[in-house]
Amino acid sequence: MIGSSVASWAAITAAGGAGFNPELAFGMAAPLAGATLSWRAVERTYARAPERLPSVLIAGFAAKMVFFGLYVGLLGALWLRPRPLVVAFAVSFLVLHAIEAGYLWKLTTRGAEPVTPAEA
């Protein structure tokens, strides 16, 4: 996730998006931090006690809400252009959490036997 975020920021900047910095970087930083930290917590929890994973995901969701609220509030106090900041934040948030969902699916289904509709 970190590598793809840095690479996408560098590619957008090199392709002529340098005028969108620092908003682009600030917009991508919080979703990257949130996804990276929550994924680390998910991996550790699943390795130690998989049955605790739902409670960790719920606590992580609450922590992300507070973190993102504070982050957006602090960025609002800076004199940054809102449009590039919001677009970078929203796109990064959605893409990184889609990646995180895919990782979670792989983590929880690894080694699991598929359930057929007749068994369900």
Side-chain angles (χ1 to χ4, degrees), residues 59-76:
F61 176 73
K64 283 182 186 182
M65 284 180 33
V66 171
F67 171 68
F68 289 139
L70 291 172
Y71 188 79
V72 169
L74 289 173
L75 288 181

Side-chain angles (χ1 to χ4, degrees), residues 22-35:
E23 291 85 1
L24 182 63
F26 280 120
M28 294 175 81
L32 177 60

